[in-house]
């Protein structure tokens, strides 16, 4: 612990491009990505097409194995015979199940479809087989729920990782991202750190999280990898977090300075509306990433404002 690297950041001659969940959200308003988000194939594809880093989401399965997946729940479809009033036909029923309640083996057996996928736009098995032959990958690389260990070993080692650690938070108004008992936070963070320290090798890694306490724990428990606080901001589309240390950019800046975090991943719309936040963060010598960017002109503007990296769908 004598040598500390978790506040070290070598500024490059240009801002870094960070692939959001690899190649980006699989379902987008304008397109469907080549590979499903948060898969080995998507992360490798982003690196192959110019991403300096890739950002992805990590949480724990029921058997406490770190897995790469964004949502806290999955919807499982079962068949049931309808009642006579419903016509007597076989009907689909959706059940929402927390990721934490399924083992890695169960998660990886799921055949994933998007909940809004009404036209069967998912990549089918024949398309995946063709892409596998074309890109010299394996079928497993295209499947959801890779373990963090698999990602550390199977993604090009020259691609840096922005590991977003997912821990459910409360919303304003009383609702929560996941309204069930979750893992004890110390053990949760330890499981992820143990995996990274056992399998990361010399890969460049930055941790991030919306949960301030998770960021503080990640910072205090190790001195090798930098930690950045994700800010939700005031102008997002989702409900605001109850935690002001995740919602208020001004409070986030002060917290990052106080807890000696590397910096902030700031919501792009907040910067557009309140550009003075950049100067405030820079006055505390914080490293700045931006997320929530969709248009190329926005990416260029953020880079010109002096951001060290921009996270976007590729």
């Amino acid at each position: 612990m004598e040598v500390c690297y978790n506040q070290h950041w070598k500024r490059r001659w240009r801002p870094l491009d960070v692939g959001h969940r690899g190649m980006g959200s699989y379902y987008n308003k304008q397109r469907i990505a080549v590979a499903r988000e948060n898969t080995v194939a998507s992360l490798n594809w982003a690196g192959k097409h110019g991403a300096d880093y890739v950002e992805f989401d990590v949480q724990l399965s029921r058997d406490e194995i770190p897995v790469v997946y964004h949502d806290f729940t999955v919807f499982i479809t079962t068949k049931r015979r309808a009642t006579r009033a419903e016509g007597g036909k076989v009907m689909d029923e959706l059940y929402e199940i927390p990721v934490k309640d399924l083992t890695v083996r169960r998660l990886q057996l799921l055949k994933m479809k998007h909940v809004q996928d009404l036209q069967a736009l998912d990549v089918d098995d024949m398309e995946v087989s063709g892409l596998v032959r074309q890109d010299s990958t394996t079928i497993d690389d295209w499947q959801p729920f890779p373990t963090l260990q698999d990602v550390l070993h199977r993604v090009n080692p020259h691609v840096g990782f922005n590991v977003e650690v997912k821990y459910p938070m409360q919303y304003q108004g009383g609702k929560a991202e996941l309204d069930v008992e979750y893992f004890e936070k110390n053990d949760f963070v330890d499981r992820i750190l143990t995996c990274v320290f056992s399998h990361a090798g010399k890969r460049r890694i930055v941790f991030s999280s919306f949960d301030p306490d998770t960021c503080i724990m990640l910072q205090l428990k190790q001195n090798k990898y930098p930690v950045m606080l994700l800010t939700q901001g005031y102008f997002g589309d989702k409900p605001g977090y109850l935690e002001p240390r995740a919602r208020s950019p001004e409070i986030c800046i002060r917290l990052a300075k106080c807890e000696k975090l590397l910096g902030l991943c700031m919501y792009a719309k907040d910067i557009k509306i309140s550009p003075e936040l950049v100067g405030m963060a820079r006055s505390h010598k914080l490293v700045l990433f931006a997320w929530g960017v969709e248009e190329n002109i926005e990416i260029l503007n953020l880079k010109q404002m002096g951001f060290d990296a921009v996270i976007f769908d590729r």
Side-chain angles (χ1 to χ4, degrees):
M1 297 292 286
E2 293 179 358
V3 181
C4 182
Y5 294 99
N6 60 4
Q7 285 189 294
H8 173 74
W9 182 260
K10 182 180 178 182
R11 284 198 162 88
R12 277 71 173 177
W13 61 274
R14 64 169 178 81
L16 300 178
D17 291 336
V18 182
H20 180 227
R21 305 180 200 169
M23 286 295 289
S25 299
Y26 183 64
Y27 284 78
N28 187 288
K29 292 178 182 177
Q30 288 132 4
R31 64 176 177 82
I32 299 176
V34 172
R36 183 186 296 277
E37 64 185 46
N38 281 334
T39 59
V40 171
S42 181
L43 300 174
N44 269 324
W45 198 285
K48 185 177 178 180
H49 291 80
D52 303 292
Y53 276 66
V54 288
E55 178 270 349
F56 56 84
D57 311 281
V58 173
Q59 54 186 300
L60 295 186
S61 63
R62 181 177 179 177
D63 38 358
E64 298 188 346
I65 295 173
V67 293
V68 178
Y69 193 70
H70 177 266
D71 296 347
F72 286 111
T73 61
V74 292
F75 287 89
I76 295 179
T77 304
T78 62
K79 301 285 187 182
R80 72 169 178 87
R81 184 167 295 282
T83 63
R84 184 174 299 177
E86 294 172 324
K89 297 180 180 178
V90 175
M91 300 180 65
D92 289 339
E93 281 193 334
L94 278 179
Y95 292 92
E96 187 175 10
I97 299 179
V99 170
K100 68 171 285 290
D101 288 343
L102 296 170
T103 64
V104 166
R105 180 176 176 275
R106 292 289 185 185
L107 289 167
Q108 293 179 344
L109 286 173
L110 296 177
K111 184 173 177 60
M112 301 297 295
K113 291 278 187 182
H114 193 276
V115 70
Q116 295 175 347
D117 179 14
L118 302 178
Q119 297 178 336
L121 294 175
D122 205 354
V123 176
D124 63 28
D125 294 338
M126 290 185 64
E127 288 178 278
V128 168
S129 299
L131 289 167
V132 166
R133 289 192 298 272
Q134 172 187 329
D135 204 46
S136 301
T137 56
T138 68
I139 288 288
D140 287 344
D141 289 348
W142 298 81
Q143 303 306 318
F145 300 106
T147 65
L148 178 57
Q149 178 178 332
D150 284 342
V151 167
L152 287 165
H153 285 294
R154 287 158 53 188
V155 174
N156 187 322
H158 298 294
V159 178
F161 282 178
N162 177 358
V163 181
E164 181 184 336
V165 180
K166 302 279 290 185
Y167 200 89
M169 298 177 65
Q170 296 286 323
Y171 290 123
Q172 292 175 309
K175 292 187 177 180
E177 288 183 302
L178 187 65
D179 198 14
V180 298
E181 184 178 352
Y182 206 62
F183 300 102
E184 194 277 323
K185 196 171 291 188
N186 266 295
D187 184 56
F188 173 84
V189 171
D190 287 346
R191 294 281 180 174
I192 293 171
L193 286 177
T194 298
C195 181
V196 170
F197 273 85
S198 299
H199 302 284
K202 297 182 179 180
R203 189 187 298 275
R204 297 165 294 154
I205 292 177
V206 176
F207 287 111
S208 63
S209 181
F210 282 106
D211 179 51
D213 292 331
T214 295
C215 285
I216 293 169
M217 287 184 180
L218 288 165
Q219 177 76 4
L220 293 175
K221 287 173 177 287
Q222 54 86 39
N223 70 343
K224 185 175 182 179
Y225 301 111
V227 181
M228 303 188 75
L229 176 63
L230 274 157
T231 71
Q232 186 191 36
Y234 293 123
F235 303 103
D237 298 328
K238 295 183 179 179
Y241 287 135
L242 181 63
E243 171 61 79
R245 296 177 299 167
R247 192 177 69 254
S248 165
E250 294 85 359
I251 294 176
C252 289
I253 290 170
R254 296 186 182 98
L255 176 69
K257 178 64 176 178
C258 178
E259 297 296 339
K260 298 181 180 180
L261 305 182
L262 179 68
L264 301 174
C265 295
M266 303 187 77
Y267 183 47
K269 191 174 288 187
D270 277 2
I271 301 303
K272 185 176 180 180
I273 295 172
S274 304
E276 68 276 5
L277 292 170
V278 177
M280 181 180 176
R282 286 294 188 211
S283 71
H284 293 294
K285 299 181 180 179
L286 298 175
V287 172
L288 293 179
F289 285 20
W291 69 275
V293 188
E294 295 183 0
E295 303 296 333
N296 288 335
I297 187 64
E298 294 179 294
I299 297 169
L300 180 61
N301 288 340
L302 289 165
K303 290 180 177 181
Q304 290 175 343
M305 292 177 72
F307 275 77
D308 297 284
V310 182
I311 304 169
F312 58 95
D313 291 358
R314 301 193 64 75

